[in-house]
Amino acid sequence: MSKILMKGNEAIGEGAVRAGCRYFFGYPITPQSELTHFLAKRLPEVGGLYMQAESEVASINMVYGASCAGARVMTSSSGPGISLMQEGLSYLAGAELPSVVVNLMRGGPGLGNIAPSQADYFQATKGGGHGDYHLIVLAPNSVQELLDMTQTAFDLADKYRNPVMIMADGVMGQMMEPVELADQLEIKQVAKPWATTGTDYHEGRNLINSCYVIPEQMEDLNNRLEKKYADITRNEQQCEGYLLEDAEIVLVAFGMASRICRAVVEKARAGGIPAGLIRPITLWPFPMEFVSKVADKAKIFLAVELNMGQMMEDVKLAASGRAPVYHYGRLGGMIPDVREVLREVEKLYRGGVGQ
Amino acid sequence: MKKGSRPASLKDVPFHYCPGCTHGIAHRLVTEVIDELDIRGKTIGIAPVGCSVFTMDYFDFDMIQGSHGRGPAVATGLKRALPDRVVFTYQGDGDLAAIGTGEFVHAAVRGEKITCIFINNAVYGMTGGQMAPTTLVGQMTKTTPFGRDKDINGFPIKVCEMLAPLEGSAYLARVAVHNPKSIIKAKKAIRRAFEVQMQGLGFSLIEILSTCPTNWGLSPVKAVQWLEENMVPYFPLGEYKTPAGVI
Amino acid sequence: MIKITFREERCKGCQLCTTVCPKGIVVMAGRTNEMGYHPATVTQQEKCTGCGLCALMCPDMVIEVEREAKAV
């Protein structure tokens, strides 16, 4: 084990390499470019391939092809590029191909800007592409987690034969933090007897497909996917609670926003407000069970996001009317500071449970 | 000696294609070549979106169904991960030459060691006879009911001519399957394309002029005549590039 | 001896085979197959030269032409 200083973008890249990913297909877009710069150098060192595609549409389909070969493969992009990948993500989900996609979110809609945002929550967790499907969506909040969760992402992708998205933003990509690097990492490569590697290389004939003209057969696939998503929902919900024991006002925030909210909770407590924090780590499956339990005791929820209130809807579903759910967000690439969120907490607490 | 026997790489199931549709001939030629080169066990095909999406049910080796037009990108990812396999796409003119324009051009630019079998029948088949990028000027389709108007729709795309100057393309040929002589030539070109891929020489593409009697509104016999009289003059047959250079 | 066989149930009656036969002996039958098409057939098999053009032209692999070794 060694401790080194690492940039978020490098941590994602190194995490991928340590997970046994040897293929990366991508198209340049800010603010994820540094990740591609890192992998363009790093992958050849381990006998891998970094390929710059002609578009995000091509990238995601190259990912599709390499995944058909049974390889661990990744792409990364940001807002507009991820939008272009949506058809491909739907195909990956439909054909049940393991793959990892990184979205370093930026301000939008449209071209927007390159500043940090969390406005792609709906797109990532509620579909994005066409048809009934889900991505597994992970939301790390530190450089260490960017490294570790990228590795987890590959394991989850293989375990469930499903695309996995890592959601972060440009600030996290740029951020430098000390990271613990395991000396020797075990790569959990799983057998992929379904891969289309040629009939000389496996039993029978393999077909990778998401086209079922006969509705009964399509429904069979949908039912199988539905069962898989239920398994994932049961097994993989992850979140972190902070000072929730006696919390009356509970902040809910992921990624970048959760780092700010941790400081808000501490400051609120110093000022006599019993605040706590829930940090969803998996955005899909959303940690419904955990939030629901907290809703038994909490008096107010405040979702803090870098968007107009997207995850807030999932918090409302989890709270199921037992506690009011408010939202505080900054938009357009703005990051809320601790003081402004604290003011919101004070306002809600005094106007609500505090009186 | 038997003529017309089924290649081992072609499943013994009826094609869903309309009467006289020459997809069946193209399927047979591709699978005959795969059998003759003895590469069935290491070949992976990529089916398009369109009438020939069902190649995945006909070709008896590993198959992938990809999204519309992206076959060459899927083939790129697959071949890069499995460089010793034989990888080909089977695409129609809508799939390859309209929505997939970026993908096949850049696969050729990179010199991907893959083969594209490109069926040019000048019309969208599966969706019901709309204008294709290869529809001839004046040709009537469901979306050009007065004939393709060059001022609105421009001119038909010439794929082989377009790719020939690219350094990454190694073998390009335009063939047809509307008469026995052309069919024999077509098979030779398909074989050459696969050989070029196996020799690692670069990107190969075979454009096959085909008929679509249903959407052309012609009998199968009239359709092969229409192809000869209208398509061949605009899309000249022959090799456009060999590993030795542009022809 | 030349043997020409038609897998009638697969024939879609497109007639392409009839246009390429140099002897003009491949014709459409008056009967219909299960799909409702008039299938291709051969009238005067003794005139068949075994060139196989009909099989080459058939999009549905209906026709097989076999040239059997001559008995001595």
Side-chain angles (χ1 to χ4, degrees), chain A residues 119-133:
Chain A
D120 300 347
Y121 180 92
F122 280 156
Q123 185 195 49
T125 63
K126 309 290 179 191
H130 59 284
D132 256 343
Y133 79 96

Side-chain angles (χ1 to χ4, degrees), chain B residues 77-96:
Chain B
L78 184 78
K79 180 82 181 195
R80 293 285 176 163
L82 299 169
D84 61 340
R85 309 301 146 88
V86 178
V87 176
F88 77 97
T89 68
Y90 189 105
Q91 304 176 261
D93 42 36
D95 192 270
L96 182 134

Side-chain angles (χ1 to χ4, degrees), chain A residues 116 171 251 253 256-268 302-307 328-331 333-346:
Chain A
V171 169
L251 281 67
M256 189 64 211
S258 68
R259 295 171 69 104
I260 297 156
C261 288
R262 206 175 160 98
V264 172
V265 165
E266 282 161 10
K267 283 220 159 37
L302 175 62
V304 180
E305 304 170 76
L306 276 65
N307 61 40
Y328 185 77
R330 289 298 299 269
L331 310 170
M334 295 298 292
I335 304 173
D337 67 26
V338 173
R339 281 168 305 174
E340 61 184 292
V341 183
L342 184 61
R343 268 201 303 277
E344 191 70 13
V345 168
E346 287 167 349

Side-chain angles (χ1 to χ4, degrees), chain A residues 52-344:
Chain A
Q52 183 166 320
E54 64 270 25
S55 68
E56 288 89 350
V57 174
S59 307
I60 196 74
N61 284 285
M62 291 173 183
V63 167
Y64 187 95
S67 185
C68 286
R72 282 196 158 181
V73 55
M74 183 168 96
T75 185
S76 69
S77 190
S78 186
I82 297 288
S83 292
L84 282 172
M85 291 183 186
Q86 292 305 318
E87 184 201 28
L89 286 167
S90 169
Y91 271 73
L92 285 163
E96 297 188 87
L97 289 169
S99 40
V100 174
V101 178
V102 179
N103 181 3
L104 293 185
M105 291 177 282
R106 54 187 264 171
L111 187 54
N113 60 30
I114 60 168
S117 166
Q118 296 182 327
D120 300 347
Y121 180 92
F122 280 156
Q123 185 195 49
T125 63
K126 309 290 179 191
H130 59 284
D132 256 343
Y133 79 96
H134 281 291
L135 305 176
I136 298 172
V137 185
L138 307 178
N141 85 340
S142 65
V143 177
Q144 182 73 57
E145 281 194 356
L146 286 171
L147 179 86
D148 297 340
M149 279 189 202
T150 303
Q151 296 170 73
T152 309
F154 283 96
D155 293 337
L156 286 171
D158 280 347
K159 182 178 175 188
Y160 293 104
R161 287 189 59 182
N162 205 69
V164 178
M165 182 173 276
I166 298 165
M167 297 268 274
D169 59 58
V171 169
M172 290 182 60
Q174 292 288 323
M175 196 162 72
M176 287 188 90
E177 282 181 333
V179 162
E180 280 192 354
L181 268 180
D183 295 329
Q184 192 76 39
L185 201 100
E186 216 186 306
I187 296 171
K188 291 185 210 157
Q189 291 282 23
V190 299
K192 296 177 178 175
W194 47 264
T196 47
T197 52
T199 52
D200 279 352
Y201 302 85
H202 56 74
E203 288 286 309
R205 169 185 182 261
N206 285 343
L207 171 64
I208 291 175
N209 175 40
S210 63
C211 171
Y212 299 90
V213 178
I214 298 162
E216 284 84 350
Q217 291 177 2
M218 188 70 222
E219 194 181 38
D220 285 346
L221 171 72
N222 291 136
N223 287 337
R224 194 169 76 241
L225 292 179
E226 191 178 28
K227 188 189 165 296
K228 174 166 86 176
Y229 299 145
D231 289 345
I232 298 171
T233 303
R234 198 168 42 250
N235 302 335
E236 306 298 344
Q237 292 183 27
Q238 266 192 67
C239 75
E240 187 182 67
Y242 182 58
L243 303 178
L244 290 171
E245 275 295 295
D246 58 341
E248 292 179 23
I249 179 162
V250 174
L251 281 67
V252 188
F254 70 93
M256 189 64 211
S258 68
R259 295 171 69 104
I260 297 156
C261 288
R262 206 175 160 98
V264 172
V265 165
E266 282 161 10
K267 283 220 159 37
R269 285 198 172 253
I273 299 174
L277 171 67
I278 298 174
R279 171 171 81 95
I281 295 170
T282 53
L283 300 183
W284 197 90
F286 187 76
M288 287 287 171
E289 285 172 29
F290 190 93
V291 179
S292 178
K293 257 184 212 150
V294 173
D296 285 337
K297 297 187 296 181
K299 304 226 166 80
I300 298 179
F301 282 105
L302 175 62
V304 180
E305 304 170 76
L306 276 65
N307 61 40
M308 294 195 294
Q310 300 190 12
M311 178 193 63
M312 174 191 70
E313 293 190 2
D314 284 330
V315 180
K316 278 186 174 172
L317 281 173
S320 294
R322 285 169 290 167
V325 178
Y326 296 92
H327 177 261
Y328 185 77
R330 289 298 299 269
L331 310 170
M334 295 298 292
I335 304 173
D337 67 26
V338 173
R339 281 168 305 174
E340 61 184 292
V341 183
L342 184 61
R343 268 201 303 277
E344 191 70 13

Side-chain angles (χ1 to χ4, degrees), chain A residues 23 25 49 51-55 57-59 61-69 71 87-88 91 95 195-202 204-211 213, chain B residues 11 40-44 49 53-68 70 73-78 80-82 84-85 102-104 106-107 110 112:
Chain A
Y23 300 93
F25 302 94
L49 172 77
M51 182 178 277
Q52 183 166 320
E54 64 270 25
S55 68
V57 174
S59 307
N61 284 285
M62 291 173 183
V63 167
Y64 187 95
S67 185
C68 286
E87 184 201 28
Y91 271 73
T196 47
T197 52
T199 52
D200 279 352
Y201 302 85
H202 56 74
R205 169 185 182 261
N206 285 343
L207 171 64
I208 291 175
N209 175 40
S210 63
C211 171
V213 178
Chain B
K11 283 190 176 183
R40 184 180 170 197
K42 61 171 188 168
T43 296
I44 302 112
V49 173
V53 64
F54 296 109
T55 52
M56 63 183 177
D57 294 332
Y58 303 141
F59 291 161
D60 199 5
F61 37 80
D62 278 4
M63 288 294 297
I64 297 168
Q65 181 264 317
S67 58
H68 198 27
R70 319 301 172 203
V74 175
T76 297
L78 184 78
R80 293 285 176 163
L82 299 169
D84 61 340
R85 309 301 146 88
E103 283 71 20
F104 84 84
H106 283 276
R110 291 187 302 268
E112 293 297 342

Side-chain angles (χ1 to χ4, degrees), chain B residues 168-200:
Chain B
S169 65
Y171 186 72
L172 305 166
R174 184 181 290 123
V175 297
V177 286
H178 65 307
N179 61 42
K181 202 172 140 196
S182 300
I183 292 171
I184 291 163
K185 280 191 185 162
K187 185 174 166 185
K188 277 192 189 138
I190 293 168
R191 188 183 166 107
R192 188 82 190 95
F194 277 94
E195 285 169 349
V196 162
Q197 172 180 174
M198 289 157 71
Q199 289 159 8

